[in-house]
Amino acid sequence: MRKSIVSFLVMSVSILIQYQSLFAQQKTSLQKSYHNFFLIGTAINAPQIQGLDSKASTLITNEFNAVTPENIMKSEVIHPGWEVYNFSLADKMVEYAQAHQLKINGHTLIWHSQLPAFMKHMQSADSVRNFFVNHIETVAKRYDGKVFSWDVVNEALEEDGTLRKSIFLEKLGASYIAEAFQLAQKASPNAELYYNDYNIEQPKKRAGAIAIIKDLQAKGIRIDGVGIQGHWRYNKIPFKEIEQSIIEFSNLGVKVMFTELDLGVLPNPWDSDAADVNMKATYSAKMNPYMNGLPDSVQMKFTEGYESLFKLFIKHKNKISRVTFWGVHDGQSWLNGWPIKGRTNYPLLFDRNYQPKEAYFKVIALTK
Ligand code: 9MR
């Protein structure tokens, strides 16, 4: 018994060393392996854009060919006052991306969340309209030719597929989505324009997204793609719905993307895949079970999850244009702080020490 445990340990360590040395030699990378299939992206944060995280920078430039700013293009940051725009970090990101041939997906023009303080409780429809038009025109125009694409509207749907009761719907009416795409097209004719949301692989919400796309198309307004965010749980990945969504969205003639991929391993208080940043729950030790490391059984299932997911993506590679992870490494993930603050989650392909996990090699091996 003891002997077999020892030989199992020796085998595991030697596999790990093999993997890590392969990685160190940089013979391979995600973006190189998937070059003929689709773009491989990551969300990047402010320190990474400012060059303050050199280990992450090495991963970003070696492993990825697309980036999405995790927060710095949200209206709260880029448009903090009526006439005040703060472009410094976004401009820096453009420089960084140009220097490393990374395609930028601008995230995001119109989102009900993370709005600037001055417009959160705005009462007058005229003021909301002014903000809306001014924001899209200014930001989209400045980055025309610099960003490859925009999430023009983000998370406009409720789980039942109806339009979310956001300040935009309330004050501007349902046509705000079409208007946002029109304004974006005019201000940034060179960027691809996308609708982005979580859980739109689920039938009811998917029907809502299809209705949005069809409405734009019927009005002759350009929409180039749809982003399925992909915040899933490692052991509850909705494969059937994902595949069905790839097919249905693609049948509408738009590109399909997975835009914020991560596979959380921690218990979810509501047993749900909603990624609503406003949902919060209180901390308890029971809800943070893997503070000191992930059990092998979970790690194995996590690896299998990523492997099966990428198998599915490869099967539909002609319909998928990009797969973006929501963060470079586990330490950066929003899932350490949501929906419960202070937890230790393990959702990405690189660990807290910036090292690739087994899932990374499995995902790459699928391309051979
Ligand atoms: O990862 C982002 C986190 O750092 C922010 O605090 C949060 C609020 O702005 O947004 C997170 O990113 C969200 C993305 O912009 C839209 N889809 C859900 C993402 C996870 O909440």
Side-chain angles (χ1 to χ4, degrees), residues 192-248:
E192 295 199 352
L193 307 177
Y194 307 145
Y195 176 72
N196 190 54
D197 211 333
Y198 57 82
N199 276 355
I200 45 169
E201 69 282 359
Q202 295 300 335
K204 286 188 187 153
K205 212 167 172 181
R206 184 199 313 154
I210 289 175
I212 290 178
I213 298 167
K214 283 190 166 166
D215 178 59
L216 294 177
Q217 292 175 332
K219 293 184 166 121
I221 299 170
R222 178 162 69 86
I223 172 166
D224 301 291
V226 58
I228 301 171
Q229 292 187 3
H231 296 292
W232 294 307
R233 285 168 288 168
Y234 79 112
N235 54 355
K236 296 195 173 167
I237 305 171
F239 290 108
K240 209 176 104 241
E241 286 80 9
I242 296 170
E243 179 157 36
Q244 193 59 27
S245 305
I246 298 174
I247 295 167
E248 288 184 23

Short mmCIF file of all heavy atoms in Angstrom, two decimals, residues 192-248:
data_model
loop_
_atom_site.label_atom_id
_atom_site.label_comp_id
_atom_site.label_asym_id
_atom_site.label_seq_id
_atom_site.Cartn_x
_atom_site.Cartn_y
_atom_site.Cartn_z
N GLU A 192 -15.52 45.74 -34.86
CA GLU A 192 -16.62 44.77 -34.85
C GLU A 192 -17.49 45.06 -33.63
O GLU A 192 -16.99 45.50 -32.58
CB GLU A 192 -16.05 43.34 -34.77
CG GLU A 192 -15.25 42.99 -36.01
CD GLU A 192 -15.06 41.48 -36.19
OE1 GLU A 192 -15.40 40.70 -35.29
OE2 GLU A 192 -14.55 41.12 -37.27
N LEU A 193 -18.78 44.83 -33.78
CA LEU A 193 -19.73 45.22 -32.72
C LEU A 193 -20.46 43.99 -32.18
O LEU A 193 -21.06 43.22 -32.94
CB LEU A 193 -20.73 46.23 -33.28
CG LEU A 193 -20.11 47.46 -33.99
CD1 LEU A 193 -21.21 48.36 -34.56
CD2 LEU A 193 -19.21 48.27 -33.04
N TYR A 194 -20.41 43.84 -30.84
CA TYR A 194 -20.96 42.62 -30.23
C TYR A 194 -21.99 42.91 -29.14
O TYR A 194 -21.95 43.94 -28.48
CB TYR A 194 -19.85 41.82 -29.55
CG TYR A 194 -18.65 41.48 -30.39
CD1 TYR A 194 -17.37 41.46 -29.83
CD2 TYR A 194 -18.77 41.18 -31.75
CE1 TYR A 194 -16.25 41.14 -30.59
CE2 TYR A 194 -17.65 40.86 -32.52
CZ TYR A 194 -16.40 40.85 -31.93
OH TYR A 194 -15.30 40.54 -32.68
N TYR A 195 -22.88 41.92 -28.95
CA TYR A 195 -23.71 41.87 -27.75
C TYR A 195 -23.10 40.81 -26.82
O TYR A 195 -22.75 39.71 -27.27
CB TYR A 195 -25.17 41.48 -28.10
CG TYR A 195 -25.97 41.35 -26.82
CD1 TYR A 195 -26.30 42.49 -26.10
CD2 TYR A 195 -26.29 40.10 -26.28
CE1 TYR A 195 -26.95 42.39 -24.88
CE2 TYR A 195 -26.96 39.99 -25.07
CZ TYR A 195 -27.27 41.14 -24.37
OH TYR A 195 -27.90 41.05 -23.15
N ASN A 196 -22.98 41.14 -25.53
CA ASN A 196 -22.28 40.25 -24.58
C ASN A 196 -23.13 40.01 -23.33
O ASN A 196 -23.69 40.95 -22.78
CB ASN A 196 -20.96 40.96 -24.17
CG ASN A 196 -20.01 40.09 -23.40
OD1 ASN A 196 -19.66 38.99 -23.86
ND2 ASN A 196 -19.58 40.53 -22.23
N ASP A 197 -23.21 38.77 -22.87
CA ASP A 197 -24.02 38.50 -21.67
C ASP A 197 -23.63 37.15 -21.05
O ASP A 197 -23.02 36.30 -21.70
CB ASP A 197 -25.52 38.49 -22.04
CG ASP A 197 -26.41 38.95 -20.90
OD1 ASP A 197 -26.03 38.80 -19.73
OD2 ASP A 197 -27.51 39.48 -21.19
N TYR A 198 -24.01 36.95 -19.78
CA TYR A 198 -23.81 35.64 -19.15
C TYR A 198 -25.10 34.83 -19.22
O TYR A 198 -26.19 35.40 -19.35
CB TYR A 198 -23.35 35.78 -17.68
CG TYR A 198 -24.27 36.59 -16.79
CD1 TYR A 198 -25.40 36.02 -16.21
CD2 TYR A 198 -24.02 37.92 -16.53
CE1 TYR A 198 -26.25 36.75 -15.39
CE2 TYR A 198 -24.85 38.67 -15.72
CZ TYR A 198 -25.96 38.08 -15.16
OH TYR A 198 -26.80 38.83 -14.36
N ASN A 199 -24.93 33.53 -19.16
CA ASN A 199 -26.08 32.60 -19.18
C ASN A 199 -26.91 32.64 -20.45
O ASN A 199 -28.01 32.06 -20.47
CB ASN A 199 -27.02 32.87 -17.98
CG ASN A 199 -26.55 32.16 -16.73
OD1 ASN A 199 -25.57 31.40 -16.79
ND2 ASN A 199 -27.19 32.38 -15.62
N ILE A 200 -26.43 33.28 -21.50
CA ILE A 200 -27.27 33.30 -22.72
C ILE A 200 -27.18 31.98 -23.48
O ILE A 200 -27.78 31.83 -24.53
CB ILE A 200 -26.98 34.48 -23.68
CG1 ILE A 200 -25.49 34.70 -23.88
CG2 ILE A 200 -27.67 35.75 -23.22
CD1 ILE A 200 -25.19 35.66 -25.00
N GLU A 201 -26.45 31.02 -22.91
CA GLU A 201 -26.55 29.67 -23.48
C GLU A 201 -27.83 29.00 -22.99
O GLU A 201 -28.28 28.03 -23.57
CB GLU A 201 -25.31 28.82 -23.12
CG GLU A 201 -25.16 28.42 -21.66
CD GLU A 201 -24.62 29.56 -20.79
OE1 GLU A 201 -24.35 30.65 -21.33
OE2 GLU A 201 -24.49 29.36 -19.56
N GLN A 202 -28.41 29.50 -21.90
CA GLN A 202 -29.64 28.89 -21.35
C GLN A 202 -30.84 29.26 -22.22
O GLN A 202 -30.94 30.41 -22.67
CB GLN A 202 -29.85 29.35 -19.91
CG GLN A 202 -28.77 28.88 -18.95
CD GLN A 202 -28.66 27.36 -18.88
OE1 GLN A 202 -29.63 26.64 -19.15
NE2 GLN A 202 -27.48 26.86 -18.53
N PRO A 203 -31.75 28.29 -22.47
CA PRO A 203 -32.78 28.50 -23.49
C PRO A 203 -33.56 29.82 -23.42
O PRO A 203 -33.68 30.50 -24.43
CB PRO A 203 -33.70 27.29 -23.30
CG PRO A 203 -32.81 26.25 -22.71
CD PRO A 203 -31.78 26.96 -21.88
N LYS A 204 -34.06 30.20 -22.24
CA LYS A 204 -34.91 31.40 -22.20
C LYS A 204 -34.09 32.66 -22.48
O LYS A 204 -34.50 33.54 -23.24
CB LYS A 204 -35.57 31.54 -20.83
CG LYS A 204 -36.68 30.56 -20.62
CD LYS A 204 -37.43 30.87 -19.34
CE LYS A 204 -38.44 29.79 -19.05
NZ LYS A 204 -38.72 29.67 -17.63
N LYS A 205 -32.94 32.73 -21.85
CA LYS A 205 -32.11 33.93 -22.04
C LYS A 205 -31.55 33.95 -23.47
O LYS A 205 -31.41 35.01 -24.08
CB LYS A 205 -30.98 33.93 -21.00
CG LYS A 205 -30.58 35.32 -20.58
CD LYS A 205 -29.71 35.32 -19.35
CE LYS A 205 -29.19 36.73 -19.09
NZ LYS A 205 -28.32 36.82 -17.92
N ARG A 206 -31.25 32.75 -23.98
CA ARG A 206 -30.76 32.65 -25.37
C ARG A 206 -31.81 33.21 -26.34
O ARG A 206 -31.49 33.96 -27.27
CB ARG A 206 -30.46 31.19 -25.71
CG ARG A 206 -29.86 30.97 -27.09
CD ARG A 206 -30.02 29.52 -27.55
NE ARG A 206 -29.65 28.57 -26.54
CZ ARG A 206 -30.12 27.33 -26.44
NH1 ARG A 206 -31.00 26.87 -27.33
NH2 ARG A 206 -29.74 26.52 -25.48
N ALA A 207 -33.09 32.86 -26.07
CA ALA A 207 -34.17 33.36 -26.94
C ALA A 207 -34.19 34.89 -26.89
O ALA A 207 -34.41 35.56 -27.92
CB ALA A 207 -35.51 32.79 -26.50
N GLY A 208 -33.93 35.45 -25.73
CA GLY A 208 -33.87 36.91 -25.60
C GLY A 208 -32.73 37.49 -26.43
O GLY A 208 -32.89 38.51 -27.12
N ALA A 209 -31.58 36.84 -26.40
CA ALA A 209 -30.42 37.32 -27.17
C ALA A 209 -30.70 37.19 -28.67
O ALA A 209 -30.36 38.09 -29.46
CB ALA A 209 -29.17 36.54 -26.79
N ILE A 210 -31.35 36.10 -29.05
CA ILE A 210 -31.68 35.91 -30.47
C ILE A 210 -32.64 37.01 -30.92
O ILE A 210 -32.50 37.58 -32.01
CB ILE A 210 -32.28 34.49 -30.70
CG1 ILE A 210 -31.16 33.46 -30.54
CG2 ILE A 210 -32.95 34.37 -32.07
CD1 ILE A 210 -31.59 32.01 -30.60
N ALA A 211 -33.59 37.36 -30.04
CA ALA A 211 -34.54 38.43 -30.39
C ALA A 211 -33.79 39.76 -30.58
O ALA A 211 -34.10 40.51 -31.52
CB ALA A 211 -35.60 38.55 -29.31
N ILE A 212 -32.82 40.04 -29.74
CA ILE A 212 -32.04 41.29 -29.89
C ILE A 212 -31.31 41.29 -31.24
O ILE A 212 -31.36 42.25 -32.01
CB ILE A 212 -31.00 41.42 -28.74
CG1 ILE A 212 -31.72 41.70 -27.42
CG2 ILE A 212 -29.97 42.52 -29.04
CD1 ILE A 212 -30.80 41.80 -26.20
N ILE A 213 -30.65 40.18 -31.55
CA ILE A 213 -29.86 40.10 -32.79
C ILE A 213 -30.79 40.25 -34.01
O ILE A 213 -30.52 41.02 -34.93
CB ILE A 213 -29.08 38.77 -32.86
CG1 ILE A 213 -28.09 38.68 -31.69
CG2 ILE A 213 -28.36 38.61 -34.20
CD1 ILE A 213 -27.49 37.31 -31.47
N LYS A 214 -31.92 39.53 -33.96
CA LYS A 214 -32.86 39.60 -35.09
C LYS A 214 -33.43 41.00 -35.26
O LYS A 214 -33.65 41.46 -36.37
CB LYS A 214 -34.00 38.60 -34.90
CG LYS A 214 -33.60 37.17 -35.21
CD LYS A 214 -34.83 36.30 -35.22
CE LYS A 214 -34.55 34.95 -35.84
NZ LYS A 214 -35.62 33.99 -35.56
N ASP A 215 -33.70 41.66 -34.15
CA ASP A 215 -34.26 43.01 -34.21
C ASP A 215 -33.26 43.95 -34.89
O ASP A 215 -33.64 44.74 -35.77
CB ASP A 215 -34.57 43.47 -32.78
CG ASP A 215 -35.10 44.89 -32.74
OD1 ASP A 215 -36.14 45.13 -33.39
OD2 ASP A 215 -34.47 45.76 -32.11
N LEU A 216 -31.99 43.85 -34.50
CA LEU A 216 -30.98 44.71 -35.13
C LEU A 216 -30.90 44.40 -36.62
O LEU A 216 -30.88 45.32 -37.46
CB LEU A 216 -29.60 44.48 -34.48
CG LEU A 216 -29.46 44.90 -33.01
CD1 LEU A 216 -28.09 44.55 -32.48
CD2 LEU A 216 -29.69 46.39 -32.85
N GLN A 217 -30.87 43.12 -36.94
CA GLN A 217 -30.74 42.73 -38.35
C GLN A 217 -31.94 43.22 -39.16
O GLN A 217 -31.78 43.72 -40.28
CB GLN A 217 -30.57 41.21 -38.46
CG GLN A 217 -29.22 40.76 -37.91
CD GLN A 217 -29.05 39.25 -37.89
OE1 GLN A 217 -30.04 38.52 -37.79
NE2 GLN A 217 -27.81 38.78 -37.96
N ALA A 218 -33.13 43.11 -38.57
CA ALA A 218 -34.34 43.55 -39.29
C ALA A 218 -34.29 45.05 -39.55
O ALA A 218 -34.82 45.53 -40.54
CB ALA A 218 -35.58 43.18 -38.48
N LYS A 219 -33.65 45.78 -38.64
CA LYS A 219 -33.56 47.23 -38.81
C LYS A 219 -32.36 47.63 -39.67
O LYS A 219 -32.09 48.83 -39.83
CB LYS A 219 -33.44 47.90 -37.43
CG LYS A 219 -34.69 47.75 -36.58
CD LYS A 219 -34.55 48.50 -35.26
CE LYS A 219 -35.89 48.63 -34.57
NZ LYS A 219 -35.91 48.01 -33.24
N GLY A 220 -31.62 46.66 -40.13
CA GLY A 220 -30.45 46.95 -40.97
C GLY A 220 -29.27 47.52 -40.17
O GLY A 220 -28.41 48.21 -40.71
N ILE A 221 -29.24 47.23 -38.88
CA ILE A 221 -28.14 47.73 -38.03
C ILE A 221 -27.11 46.62 -37.87
O ILE A 221 -27.46 45.47 -37.59
CB ILE A 221 -28.69 48.17 -36.66
CG1 ILE A 221 -29.71 49.31 -36.86
CG2 ILE A 221 -27.57 48.60 -35.73
CD1 ILE A 221 -30.50 49.66 -35.62
N ARG A 222 -25.85 46.99 -38.00
CA ARG A 222 -24.79 45.96 -37.98
C ARG A 222 -24.54 45.40 -36.58
O ARG A 222 -24.36 46.16 -35.64
CB ARG A 222 -23.49 46.57 -38.53
CG ARG A 222 -22.32 45.62 -38.52
CD ARG A 222 -21.21 46.10 -39.46
NE ARG A 222 -20.55 47.30 -39.00
CZ ARG A 222 -19.51 47.33 -38.15
NH1 ARG A 222 -19.04 46.19 -37.65
NH2 ARG A 222 -18.95 48.46 -37.81
N ILE A 223 -24.55 44.09 -36.48
CA ILE A 223 -24.05 43.40 -35.27
C ILE A 223 -23.18 42.27 -35.79
O ILE A 223 -23.60 41.48 -36.62
CB ILE A 223 -25.18 42.90 -34.34
CG1 ILE A 223 -24.57 42.04 -33.21
CG2 ILE A 223 -26.29 42.15 -35.07
CD1 ILE A 223 -25.49 41.75 -32.04
N ASP A 224 -21.93 42.22 -35.33
CA ASP A 224 -21.00 41.24 -35.88
C ASP A 224 -20.90 39.96 -35.07
O ASP A 224 -20.48 38.94 -35.59
CB ASP A 224 -19.59 41.85 -35.98
CG ASP A 224 -19.58 43.08 -36.85
OD1 ASP A 224 -19.76 42.93 -38.07
OD2 ASP A 224 -19.43 44.21 -36.32
N GLY A 225 -21.24 40.06 -33.79
CA GLY A 225 -21.04 38.85 -33.00
C GLY A 225 -21.75 38.89 -31.67
O GLY A 225 -22.27 39.92 -31.24
N VAL A 226 -21.74 37.71 -31.04
CA VAL A 226 -22.37 37.59 -29.73
C VAL A 226 -21.37 36.91 -28.78
O VAL A 226 -20.70 35.94 -29.15
CB VAL A 226 -23.71 36.83 -29.82
CG1 VAL A 226 -23.56 35.45 -30.43
CG2 VAL A 226 -24.39 36.73 -28.47
N GLY A 227 -21.25 37.49 -27.60
CA GLY A 227 -20.32 36.95 -26.61
C GLY A 227 -21.07 36.23 -25.51
O GLY A 227 -21.90 36.80 -24.81
N ILE A 228 -20.77 34.93 -25.40
CA ILE A 228 -21.31 34.14 -24.29
C ILE A 228 -20.23 34.22 -23.22
O ILE A 228 -19.09 33.80 -23.45
CB ILE A 228 -21.52 32.67 -24.73
CG1 ILE A 228 -22.50 32.59 -25.92
CG2 ILE A 228 -21.96 31.80 -23.56
CD1 ILE A 228 -22.59 31.19 -26.56
N GLN A 229 -20.53 34.77 -22.06
CA GLN A 229 -19.45 35.04 -21.11
C GLN A 229 -18.74 33.77 -20.62
O GLN A 229 -17.52 33.72 -20.59
CB GLN A 229 -19.99 35.86 -19.93
CG GLN A 229 -20.38 37.28 -20.34
CD GLN A 229 -20.77 38.16 -19.17
OE1 GLN A 229 -20.71 37.76 -17.99
NE2 GLN A 229 -21.18 39.39 -19.47
N GLY A 230 -19.50 32.76 -20.21
CA GLY A 230 -18.86 31.51 -19.80
C GLY A 230 -18.32 31.50 -18.39
O GLY A 230 -17.23 30.99 -18.13
N HIS A 231 -19.08 32.07 -17.43
CA HIS A 231 -18.72 31.93 -16.01
C HIS A 231 -19.46 30.69 -15.51
O HIS A 231 -20.61 30.77 -15.08
CB HIS A 231 -19.17 33.16 -15.21
CG HIS A 231 -18.48 34.42 -15.63
ND1 HIS A 231 -17.13 34.62 -15.41
CD2 HIS A 231 -18.92 35.55 -16.23
CE1 HIS A 231 -16.79 35.83 -15.87
NE2 HIS A 231 -17.85 36.40 -16.38
N TRP A 232 -18.77 29.55 -15.58
CA TRP A 232 -19.43 28.30 -15.22
C TRP A 232 -18.77 27.66 -14.02
O TRP A 232 -17.70 28.07 -13.59
CB TRP A 232 -19.41 27.34 -16.43
CG TRP A 232 -20.23 27.82 -17.58
CD1 TRP A 232 -21.54 28.22 -17.55
CD2 TRP A 232 -19.80 27.97 -18.95
NE1 TRP A 232 -21.95 28.59 -18.82
CE2 TRP A 232 -20.92 28.46 -19.69
CE3 TRP A 232 -18.60 27.73 -19.62
CZ2 TRP A 232 -20.86 28.70 -21.06
CZ3 TRP A 232 -18.53 27.98 -20.98
CH2 TRP A 232 -19.64 28.46 -21.69
N ARG A 233 -19.45 26.60 -13.50
CA ARG A 233 -18.87 25.84 -12.41
C ARG A 233 -18.24 24.57 -12.98
O ARG A 233 -18.81 23.96 -13.88
CB ARG A 233 -19.94 25.52 -11.38
CG ARG A 233 -20.28 26.76 -10.57
CD ARG A 233 -21.53 26.56 -9.76
NE ARG A 233 -22.72 26.54 -10.60
CZ ARG A 233 -23.92 26.15 -10.18
NH1 ARG A 233 -24.08 25.72 -8.96
NH2 ARG A 233 -24.95 26.18 -11.00
N TYR A 234 -17.07 24.20 -12.44
CA TYR A 234 -16.25 23.13 -13.04
C TYR A 234 -17.01 21.82 -13.22
O TYR A 234 -16.74 21.06 -14.14
CB TYR A 234 -14.99 22.90 -12.20
CG TYR A 234 -15.21 22.08 -10.95
CD1 TYR A 234 -14.68 20.79 -10.82
CD2 TYR A 234 -15.99 22.58 -9.89
CE1 TYR A 234 -14.90 20.05 -9.68
CE2 TYR A 234 -16.21 21.83 -8.76
CZ TYR A 234 -15.67 20.56 -8.66
OH TYR A 234 -15.89 19.81 -7.54
N ASN A 235 -17.99 21.55 -12.33
CA ASN A 235 -18.68 20.26 -12.41
C ASN A 235 -20.12 20.40 -12.92
O ASN A 235 -20.88 19.45 -12.85
CB ASN A 235 -18.68 19.60 -11.03
CG ASN A 235 -19.24 20.51 -9.95
OD1 ASN A 235 -19.54 21.68 -10.23
ND2 ASN A 235 -19.39 20.00 -8.75
N LYS A 236 -20.45 21.60 -13.39
CA LYS A 236 -21.82 21.78 -13.90
C LYS A 236 -21.80 22.57 -15.19
O LYS A 236 -22.56 23.52 -15.38
CB LYS A 236 -22.66 22.53 -12.86
CG LYS A 236 -22.84 21.75 -11.59
CD LYS A 236 -23.93 22.29 -10.72
CE LYS A 236 -24.12 21.31 -9.56
NZ LYS A 236 -24.91 21.84 -8.48
N ILE A 237 -20.90 22.21 -16.09
CA ILE A 237 -20.80 22.96 -17.35
C ILE A 237 -21.99 22.57 -18.23
O ILE A 237 -22.21 21.37 -18.48
CB ILE A 237 -19.47 22.64 -18.06
CG1 ILE A 237 -18.29 22.92 -17.10
CG2 ILE A 237 -19.31 23.46 -19.34
CD1 ILE A 237 -16.95 22.43 -17.61
N PRO A 238 -22.76 23.53 -18.70
CA PRO A 238 -23.96 23.18 -19.48
C PRO A 238 -23.64 22.87 -20.95
O PRO A 238 -24.01 23.61 -21.86
CB PRO A 238 -24.83 24.44 -19.36
CG PRO A 238 -23.87 25.55 -19.14
CD PRO A 238 -22.65 24.98 -18.48
N PHE A 239 -22.95 21.74 -21.19
CA PHE A 239 -22.44 21.43 -22.53
C PHE A 239 -23.52 21.45 -23.61
O PHE A 239 -23.31 21.97 -24.70
CB PHE A 239 -21.76 20.05 -22.53
CG PHE A 239 -20.47 20.04 -21.77
CD1 PHE A 239 -20.37 19.41 -20.54
CD2 PHE A 239 -19.34 20.67 -22.26
CE1 PHE A 239 -19.19 19.40 -19.83
CE2 PHE A 239 -18.15 20.67 -21.56
CZ PHE A 239 -18.08 20.04 -20.34
N LYS A 240 -24.67 20.82 -23.28
CA LYS A 240 -25.71 20.71 -24.30
C LYS A 240 -26.20 22.09 -24.74
O LYS A 240 -26.32 22.39 -25.92
CB LYS A 240 -26.89 19.90 -23.71
CG LYS A 240 -27.66 19.12 -24.73
CD LYS A 240 -28.74 18.27 -24.08
CE LYS A 240 -30.08 18.92 -24.29
NZ LYS A 240 -30.82 19.32 -23.14
N GLU A 241 -26.44 22.93 -23.76
CA GLU A 241 -26.94 24.28 -24.07
C GLU A 241 -25.86 25.10 -24.78
O GLU A 241 -26.17 25.90 -25.66
CB GLU A 241 -27.37 25.01 -22.79
CG GLU A 241 -28.67 24.53 -22.20
CD GLU A 241 -28.49 23.26 -21.38
OE1 GLU A 241 -27.33 22.86 -21.14
OE2 GLU A 241 -29.51 22.66 -20.99
N ILE A 242 -24.62 24.88 -24.40
CA ILE A 242 -23.52 25.63 -25.05
C ILE A 242 -23.50 25.28 -26.54
O ILE A 242 -23.48 26.15 -27.41
CB ILE A 242 -22.16 25.33 -24.39
CG1 ILE A 242 -22.14 25.80 -22.94
CG2 ILE A 242 -21.02 25.98 -25.18
CD1 ILE A 242 -20.93 25.34 -22.14
N GLU A 243 -23.54 23.97 -26.82
CA GLU A 243 -23.47 23.56 -28.22
C GLU A 243 -24.67 24.08 -29.01
O GLU A 243 -24.53 24.62 -30.12
CB GLU A 243 -23.39 22.03 -28.33
CG GLU A 243 -23.33 21.58 -29.79
CD GLU A 243 -22.70 20.20 -29.97
OE1 GLU A 243 -22.92 19.33 -29.11
OE2 GLU A 243 -21.99 20.02 -31.00
N GLN A 244 -25.84 23.97 -28.42
CA GLN A 244 -27.05 24.44 -29.08
C GLN A 244 -26.96 25.95 -29.37
O GLN A 244 -27.35 26.43 -30.44
CB GLN A 244 -28.26 24.12 -28.18
CG GLN A 244 -29.60 24.26 -28.83
CD GLN A 244 -29.77 23.38 -30.07
OE1 GLN A 244 -29.13 22.33 -30.19
NE2 GLN A 244 -30.57 23.83 -31.02
N SER A 245 -26.39 26.69 -28.42
CA SER A 245 -26.26 28.15 -28.60
C SER A 245 -25.28 28.49 -29.71
O SER A 245 -25.53 29.40 -30.50
CB SER A 245 -25.77 28.81 -27.32
OG SER A 245 -26.60 28.49 -26.27
N ILE A 246 -24.17 27.76 -29.75
CA ILE A 246 -23.19 28.02 -30.81
C ILE A 246 -23.90 27.89 -32.16
O ILE A 246 -23.78 28.74 -33.04
CB ILE A 246 -21.99 27.02 -30.74
CG1 ILE A 246 -21.22 27.17 -29.43
CG2 ILE A 246 -21.05 27.20 -31.95
CD1 ILE A 246 -20.13 26.13 -29.20
N ILE A 247 -24.68 26.82 -32.29
CA ILE A 247 -25.35 26.55 -33.57
C ILE A 247 -26.41 27.63 -33.85
O ILE A 247 -26.45 28.21 -34.94
CB ILE A 247 -25.98 25.13 -33.55
CG1 ILE A 247 -24.85 24.10 -33.48
CG2 ILE A 247 -26.88 24.90 -34.76
CD1 ILE A 247 -25.30 22.68 -33.15
N GLU A 248 -27.25 27.91 -32.85
CA GLU A 248 -28.34 28.87 -33.10
C GLU A 248 -27.83 30.28 -33.37
O GLU A 248 -28.33 30.96 -34.26
CB GLU A 248 -29.33 28.87 -31.92
CG GLU A 248 -30.15 27.60 -31.88
CD GLU A 248 -31.20 27.61 -30.78
OE1 GLU A 248 -31.60 28.68 -30.32
OE2 GLU A 248 -31.60 26.50 -30.38
#
